[in-house]
Amino acid sequence: MNVALVDEHPVFRTGIRGMLKNQFEKLGTLEAGSMEDLEKIIQLDIFDVIIIGLSEEHPEIDYALLKRVMKKNPLTSFIVYASAPDHKLARSLVRMGVRGILTKHACADELVTCVRSVLSGNPYLSPEMLAGIHKKAKRTVNEANAT
């Protein structure tokens, strides 16, 4: 399995790589400090999974850049690690075709579950993200019923 790890923090990338190597045989990894760096170095659709970390310092994602990278890698499953649950971010990413969304508070087992899920063709949203989406949907329904 070939995985690209994108995060501005080298320690985070190293930790993710270590967790994945413990669970998946024949793991090849490429690391990049940013999506811009990744876009410069990838040329072929050779990755099974691209994991993108968002930090507290930079919680936003460049949607145009993500779209370009996704277009160049149509067979790749994308997973985004957010620093905190954000239902708006999750909705936007799902609409774009991101297959997995986690928070950086997730345990190692959740990352493995997410990777296995997206590799088998299924989407994965962390329980924290699902709870936020559910809470927002419930609030919207309650507001609609009140009017």
Side-chain angles (χ1 to χ4, degrees):
M1 173 172 71
N2 291 318
V3 177
L5 304 172
V6 182
D7 194 280
E8 65 184 74
H9 303 290
V11 171
F12 182 78
R13 294 192 310 262
T14 300
I16 295 293
R17 183 181 66 240
M19 285 187 287
L20 294 175
K21 282 192 179 221
N22 286 335
Q23 296 294 319
F24 298 97
E25 292 182 25
K26 298 180 182 176
L27 179 73
T29 59
L30 175 113
E31 295 184 26
S34 68
M35 286 292 290
E36 292 83 2
D37 292 343
L38 180 69
E39 185 180 37
K40 291 175 190 173
I41 56 179
I42 62 170
Q43 296 177 6
L44 301 172
D45 190 16
I46 60 169
F47 296 103
D48 300 297
V49 177
I50 294 177
I51 300 173
I52 303 162
L54 302 179
S55 67
E56 290 182 11
E57 301 87 17
H58 303 101
E60 300 294 321
I61 193 161
D62 182 335
Y63 289 102
L65 178 55
L66 177 60
K67 192 173 188 175
R68 284 194 309 270
V69 172
M70 291 177 82
K71 188 174 181 178
K72 290 180 183 179
N73 297 274
L75 302 177
T76 301
S77 294
F78 286 76
I79 296 172
V80 172
Y81 252 112
S83 59
D86 182 338
H87 67 275
K88 290 178 185 177
L89 173 69
R91 265 198 332 260
S92 298
L93 293 172
V94 167
R95 286 185 188 134
M96 286 189 70
V98 171
R99 302 293 294 163
I101 305 170
L102 301 163
T103 66
K104 288 189 174 180
H105 301 119
C107 65
D109 290 341
E110 190 173 347
L111 171 64
V112 173
T113 300
C114 179
V115 170
R116 287 193 170 124
S117 180
V118 301
L119 286 174
S120 65
N122 298 309
Y124 184 90
L125 289 175
S126 73
E128 285 181 296
M129 288 292 190
L130 283 173
I133 291 170
H134 182 265
K135 185 177 178 181
K136 173 65 176 168
K138 187 175 180 180
R139 189 172 36 233
T140 300
V141 168
N142 288 341
E143 290 170 1
N145 289 337
T147 56

